[in-house]
Amino acid sequence: VTVRWLLSETDPTDWRGEVVLFFPDAQSRDAVFTSARGLTDLHVQWEDAPDAPPLGAFITEQALIEAFSSFGMVVCARIPRRPTTQEPQSFAFISFLDAEDAQRVARKQGVEVPITPTWNLELWPKLARFGNSNDKRVAVKAGDDDVGFDWIHLCKR
């Protein structure tokens, strides 16, 4: 396997980069890709009240991780933002390490996430569709403990 690491030359502070792995043949590449366990995303949604600030402004990714960790190992949570206003959308994605945990939560009618000690926001979960048969996100260990994870995006070309 040959590895080539590409960083952003236009922005040296951008720590994200791209790694290209070259395999001796397609069979080797496919075997590695198949053996990599992909994350399972949960799509959660809430309803914003008309003419009120978006509820996503009151919820954090950390609050989502803490609330959903009671169902299994959560790798990350993301609240997408509108490109023009940077306002949070009325949905988020929760990435589970194990597909069974995400599937169990998706069968629930709702999940309450604490916003403040006296205010919970009900979220409606369902399994998210991510990517296609040639890409997946894979958890990678981040740190020295057994609970710190990040993820990488694998694309098979």
Side-chain angles (χ1 to χ4, degrees):
V1 175
T2 304
V3 177
R4 187 178 71 212
W5 178 253
L6 306 171
L7 291 175
S8 172
E9 291 182 15
T10 58
D11 183 4
T13 64
D14 186 1
W15 56 268
R16 296 171 297 171
E18 180 178 309
V19 173
V20 180
L21 302 176
F22 296 96
F23 293 92
D25 53 51
Q27 184 178 5
S28 300
R29 177 203 64 201
D30 293 349
V32 169
F33 186 83
T34 302
S35 68
R37 187 170 91 183
L39 298 175
T40 302
D41 282 350
L42 197 65
H43 177 272
V44 294
Q45 195 160 352
W46 55 87
E47 192 166 332
D48 287 332
D51 300 322
L55 291 173
F58 300 100
I59 194 165
T60 65
E61 277 108 0
Q62 188 60 38
L64 292 170
I65 290 170
E66 289 172 11
F68 283 90
S69 288
S70 65
F71 301 104
M73 178 63 74
V74 173
V75 175
C76 65
R78 298 172 313 287
I79 302 173
R81 298 189 172 276
R82 290 181 175 85
T84 54
T85 64
Q86 292 303 305
E87 275 186 353
Q89 302 273 9
S90 59
F91 62 92
F93 296 100
I94 316 297
S95 298
F96 282 88
L97 187 60
D98 294 316
E100 297 81 24
D101 295 334
Q103 292 163 354
R104 188 174 62 251
V105 178
R107 289 191 292 270
K108 294 187 168 296
Q109 293 294 320
V111 174
E112 288 195 348
V113 176
I115 305 298
T116 69
T118 58
W119 179 28
N120 291 337
L121 177 61
E122 185 174 19
L123 306 180
W124 305 299
K126 65 180 181 179
L127 285 177
R129 286 184 273 176
F130 176 79
N132 57 47
S133 61
N134 289 328
D135 69 333
K136 59 175 127 177
R137 292 181 316 117
V138 177
V140 293
K141 193 171 181 232
D144 295 330
D145 57 14
D146 289 333
V147 294
F149 287 97
D150 204 340
W151 58 271
I152 59 172
H153 185 191
L154 295 182
C155 296
K156 182 174 68 169
R157 297 183 193 153

